[in-house]
C-alpha cells in the first residue's frame, strides 16, 4: 500500500522509503527525526522541467517551505530560482550551491539592511508590498548608486478557499497593494530615479486545492497589466504568479499535480498575450509545498499510553515529538496522516489522541485516530516535508531534530544533525 506518494509504502508489515526500511534508519539514528525522499523531490523537479522546457518560465523554490541547504542545492541543480523572505533565506540560497541564481525577495517588512544585501547580491527582483517600501528601496539603491529591479505585488482580492492564516490575496490581508492603489504605485516607481520597474506579482495563499482561485487571480493580474500599460505606459517584462498549490494530506484527497498546474496557468497568460499579438513576458512562480511537502515524514516513538476509564474515556498516546517539532496541527488545525512504522498485530484498534510531552493542552499532533498502538512503537506523520522542520522551535528547551534523506542511489544521509544542548544556549551571555 502506498501512502500519499509512491515513495512511502508497506512491504509485508514494514514501512519503507524508496527501498529502505524506516525502522532500520531509526535504529542508526534516533527519534524523533524527519526523513525525506530525494526521489520524490526529484520527481517533482522533473515535472517542473516538463512544463517549462522551451518556455520563458522560471519556477522559484519558496525557501520557507524547507530551507535545508541540501534541499536548496537540489533545487539549484535543476536551475530553479528562489523565493526568499529574509536575509537569512538569501544567505542560505547563496551558500547552498555555486553559480548565478534568480532570486525574488518577497515580504511586507523588509529592512534597509536586507534591501541593501539583496541589491549588493544582484537579485532578480524585489517584490514591493507598499508605497513606503518603494521610497526605502530608492534611497538604499541611491546609496549603492544602482537601479533596484522591482515588481509590484498586487493584492487581487481573490478568495483562495484555505485556512484564514494562510490566505494572503484578500483585501483584508496585509499583503500587496490593492488594484485601486496599484496604478499610483507604478507611477511612483517610474518616477523614482533608482528604481527600475520590471514586473508585477501576486500570491493569494497556500494549500489551495482548487485551480479556480489561481485562474481568477491570473485573469485579474492580466486585466491589471493592461491598465498599467494604458495608464502609465510601462511595459512589464515579467509576471510572477506566486505559489500556493496544495498537496493531499490524506489518501482520499484529489489534487492537481505540478506539471498540470504550471501548464494550465502559464497557458492562460500565453494565450492572453498571443491574442493581442504581443510577446508573452517572462513568467515566474514561487512554489514551496507542492515541491517538498509530501517528500517527508516525521518519525516518533510512543512513550506512554494513557487511557481513562471515566465517562470521557479518552485514550492518549504520548510520543517523543511535540508541537515545537510539528506546529501545524495546533496552529492551523492541520491534518497529518499517521501510520505505524511496523504493523502491529498483537493489540486491538483503539481511537487515540496523539500528544507530545510539552506542558500545554495545545500540544497535540493528531486527534481521534484509529490505530493499534503499544508503548515503544514507532509511528510517523506524513506530509512533513514542508512547513514542519522550518517552523520548529526550541520551546520547552527541546532540541531541534535531525533530518535524514534517502537518496536516489539508496544511500541514507543525515542532512541536518540533531541540535546539541550546548548549541541551544551558545548565544546566551551569563
Ligand atoms: N510566495 C509567497 C509570497 C509566500 O508567502 C509563500 C508562502 C509562497 C510563495 C509559497 O507558498 P506554497 O507554494 O508553499 O504554498 N506555514 C503555513 C504555510 C505558510 C505559507 C506562507 N507563504 C503552513 O504550514 O501551511
Amino acid at each position: 500500500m502506498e501512502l500519499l506518494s509512491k515513495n512511502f509504502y508497506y512491504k509485508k508489515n514494514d514501512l519503507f522509503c524508496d527501498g529502505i526500511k524506516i525502522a532500520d534508519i531509526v535504529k542508526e539514528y534516533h527519534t524523533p527525526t524527519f526523513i525525506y525522499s530525494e526521489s520524490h523531490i526529484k520527481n517533482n523537479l522533473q515535472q517542473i522541467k516538463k512544463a517549462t522546457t522551451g518556455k520563458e518560465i522560471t519556477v522559484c523554490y519558496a525557501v520557507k517551505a524547507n530551507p535545508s541547504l541540501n534541499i536548496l542545492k537540489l533545487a539549484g541543480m535543476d536551475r530553479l530560482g528562489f523565493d526568499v523572505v529574509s536575509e537569512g533565506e538569501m544567505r542560505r540560497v547563496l551558500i547552498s550551491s555555486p553559480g548565478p541564481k534568480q532570486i525574488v525577495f518577497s515580504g511586507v517588512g523588509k529592512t534597509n539592511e536586507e534591501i541593501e544585501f539583496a541589491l549588493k547580491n544582484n537579485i532578480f527582483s524585489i517584490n514591493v508590498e507598499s508605497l513606503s517600501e518603494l521610497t526605502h528601496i530608492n534611497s538604499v539603491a541611491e546609496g549603492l548608486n544602482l537601479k533596484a529591479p522591482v515588481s509590484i505585488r498586487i493584492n487581487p482580492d481573490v478568495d483562495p478557499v484555505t485556512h484564514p492564516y494562510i490566505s494572503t490575496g484578500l483585501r483584508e490581508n496585509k499583503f500587496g497593494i490593492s488594484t485601486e492603489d496599484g496604478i499610483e504605485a507604478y507611477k511612483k516607481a517610474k518616477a523614482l530615479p533608482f528604481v527600475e520597474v520590471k514586473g508585477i506579482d501576486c500570491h493569494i495563499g497556500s494549500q489551495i486545492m482548487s485551480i479556480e482561485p489561481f485562474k481568477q487571480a491570473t485573469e485579474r493580474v492580466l486585466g491589471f497589466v493592461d491598465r498599467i500599460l494604458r495608464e502609465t505606459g510601462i511595459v512589464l517584462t515579467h509576471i510572477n504568479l506566486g505559489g500556493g498549490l496544495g498537496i493531499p494530506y490524506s489518501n482520499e484527497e484529489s489534487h492537481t499535480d505540478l506539471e498540470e498546474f504550471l501548464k494550465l496557468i502559464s497557458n492562460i497568460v500565453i494565450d492572453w498575450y498571443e491574442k493581442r499579438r504581443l510577446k508573452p513576458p517572462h513568467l515566474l512562480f514561487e512554489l514551496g509545498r507542492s515541491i517538498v511537502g509530501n517528500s517527508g515524514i516525521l518519525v516518533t516513538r510512543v512513550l506512554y499510553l494513557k487511557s481513562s476509564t471515566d465517562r470521557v474515556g479518552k485514550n492518549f498516546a504520548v510520543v517523543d515529538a511535540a508541537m515545537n517539532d510539528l506546529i501545524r496541527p495546533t496552529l492551523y488545525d492541520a491534518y497529518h496522516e499517521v501510520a505505524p512504522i511496523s504493523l502491529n498485530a498483537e493489540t486491538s484498534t483503539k481511537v487515540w489522541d496523539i500528544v507530545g510531552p510539552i506542558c500545554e493542552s495545545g500540544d497535540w499532533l493528531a486527534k481521534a485516530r484509529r490505530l493499534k498502538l503499544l508503548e515503544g512503537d514507532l509511528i510517523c506523520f506524513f506530509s512533513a516535508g514542508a512547513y514542519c522542520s522550518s517552523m520548529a522551535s526550541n520551546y520547552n528547551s527541546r532540541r531541534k531534530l535531525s533530518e535524514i534523506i534517502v537518496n536516489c542511489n539508496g544511500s541514507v544521509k543525515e542532512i541536518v544533525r540533531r541540535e546539541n544542548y550546548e548549541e541551544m544556549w551558545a548565544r546566551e551571555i551569563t
Side-chain angles (χ1 to χ4, degrees):
M1 182 180 66
E2 286 175 10
L3 286 153
L4 288 161
S5 84
K6 65 176 175 42
N7 307 93
F8 294 96
Y9 53 89
Y10 284 105
K11 211 155 99 185
K12 291 198 180 131
N13 288 332
D14 296 301
L15 186 68
F16 279 71
C17 171
D18 298 329
I20 309 289
K21 202 161 143 180
I22 300 290
D24 289 344
I25 302 178
V26 174
K27 238 182 256 161
E28 228 183 277
Y29 297 92
H30 39 68
T31 60
T33 185
F34 289 100
I35 299 179
Y36 307 116
S37 155
E38 183 189 38
S39 156
H40 184 95
I41 300 171
K42 284 211 163 162
N43 181 48
N44 285 335
L45 296 175
Q46 192 56 34
Q47 286 196 35
I48 292 174
K49 203 175 262 174
K50 277 200 213 149
T52 58
T53 304
K55 298 180 186 157
E56 224 194 310
I57 303 177
T58 302
V59 171
C60 297
Y61 172 62
V63 174
K64 63 174 87 62
N66 190 320
S68 123
L69 297 181
N70 280 263
I71 289 176
L72 298 182
K73 196 168 161 188
L74 279 180
M77 280 179 343
D78 264 44
R79 306 227 174 286
L80 263 62
F82 294 92
D83 162 48
V84 302
V85 291
S86 67
E87 182 171 335
E89 287 192 350
M90 255 182 288
R91 285 182 181 271
R92 278 184 174 274
V93 168
L94 294 170
I95 63 159
S96 65
S97 55
K101 295 173 176 69
Q102 289 194 319
I103 300 178
V104 297
F105 186 13
S106 314
V108 292
K110 304 173 192 83
T111 63
N112 283 359
E113 291 74 22
E114 287 179 314
I115 294 168
E116 182 170 336
F117 187 81
L119 294 178
K120 278 184 175 163
N121 283 287
N122 205 15
I123 72 162
F124 179 78
S125 171
I126 301 183
N127 295 342
V128 178
E129 307 238 9
S130 62
L131 290 168
S132 306
E133 190 186 327
L134 270 175
T135 314
H136 278 256
I137 294 172
N138 187 64
S139 64
V140 174
E142 181 174 12
L144 297 172
N145 195 28
L146 47 79
K147 276 204 161 206
V150 304
S151 117
I152 309 275
R153 178 168 177 178
I154 293 299
N155 183 327
D157 197 26
V158 167
D159 184 358
V161 197
T162 188
H163 190 281
Y165 286 6
I166 53 178
S167 149
T168 51
L170 282 170
R171 205 176 280 272
E172 63 258 35
N173 300 137
K174 68 179 174 182
F175 299 96
I177 298 174
S178 68
T179 45
E180 286 88 338
D181 301 331
I183 295 294
E184 195 195 328
Y186 276 96
K187 284 185 180 158
K188 177 171 176 175
K190 193 179 173 186
L192 290 169
F194 295 95
V195 163
E196 185 188 353
V197 198
K198 293 180 74 178
I200 184 166
D201 69 282
C202 85
H203 170 78
I204 56 173
S206 195
Q207 186 50 19
I208 302 167
M209 290 305 270
S210 150
I211 198 82
E212 283 313 313
F214 291 112
K215 285 187 180 163
Q216 256 186 48
T218 307
E219 275 150 17
R220 289 203 188 163
V221 166
L222 289 170
F224 195 63
V225 168
D226 217 18
R227 268 191 66 196
I228 296 169
L229 181 62
R230 279 188 281 113
E231 296 180 35
T232 70
I234 299 173
V235 179
L236 300 176
T237 53
H238 79 252
I239 297 184
N240 176 345
L241 293 168
L245 177 64
I247 55 163
Y249 277 83
S250 83
N251 276 316
E252 291 81 50
E253 273 176 290
S254 65
H255 72 294
T256 312
D257 70 21
L258 263 166
E259 189 181 344
E260 202 182 333
F261 165 80
L262 290 169
K263 282 185 174 163
L264 259 165
I265 300 300
S266 58
N267 283 340
I268 297 178
V269 180
I270 294 167
D271 290 350
W272 192 89
Y273 274 85
E274 284 180 350
K275 254 188 213 144
R276 288 161 180 75
R277 297 182 195 288
L278 295 169
K279 183 182 172 293
H282 182 178
L283 249 184
L284 290 97
F285 293 90
E286 302 166 349
L287 295 163
R289 190 189 318 257
S290 49
I291 299 175
V292 292
N294 269 328
S295 73
I297 59 173
L298 169 63
V299 183
T300 178
R301 193 177 291 282
V302 176
L303 299 174
Y304 301 99
L305 294 179
K306 189 173 160 179
S307 296
S308 64
T309 52
D310 58 24
R311 67 188 165 79
V312 179
K314 274 277 194 190
N315 296 315
F316 293 106
V318 186
V319 297
D320 61 2
M323 67 190 271
N324 70 304
D325 308 308
L326 182 68
I327 191 79
R328 302 192 70 258
T330 192
L331 191 56
Y332 313 117
D333 235 339
Y335 180 95
H336 285 258
E337 203 68 76
V338 180
I341 297 300
S342 298
L343 298 171
N344 221 329
E346 297 141 43
T347 185
S348 56
T349 303
K350 279 190 185 173
V351 178
W352 297 98
D353 277 9
I354 302 170
V355 300
I358 285 183
C359 305
E360 288 205 29
S361 295
D363 183 22
W364 61 272
L365 303 172
K367 284 188 176 161
R369 302 299 173 88
R370 294 178 59 77
L371 291 163
K372 289 181 177 183
L373 291 182
L374 290 172
E375 286 186 2
D377 279 357
L378 292 169
I379 60 171
C380 70
F381 293 86
F382 282 86
S383 315
Y387 303 112
C388 292
S389 68
S390 62
M391 293 179 77
S393 77
N394 286 117
Y395 187 39
N396 274 211
S397 289
R398 289 168 54 85
R399 294 180 283 176
K400 295 266 183 75
L401 306 186
S402 58
E403 299 176 46
I404 293 163
I405 197 160
V406 176
N407 286 316
C408 293
N409 64 8
S411 65
V412 175
K413 184 180 167 200
E414 190 173 38
I415 56 171
V416 181
R417 64 164 171 71
R418 178 162 61 171
E419 189 172 30
N420 63 43
Y421 287 112
E422 289 69 32
E423 282 168 324
M424 212 196 293
W425 47 75
R427 293 176 302 116
E428 295 181 33
I429 301 145
T430 51

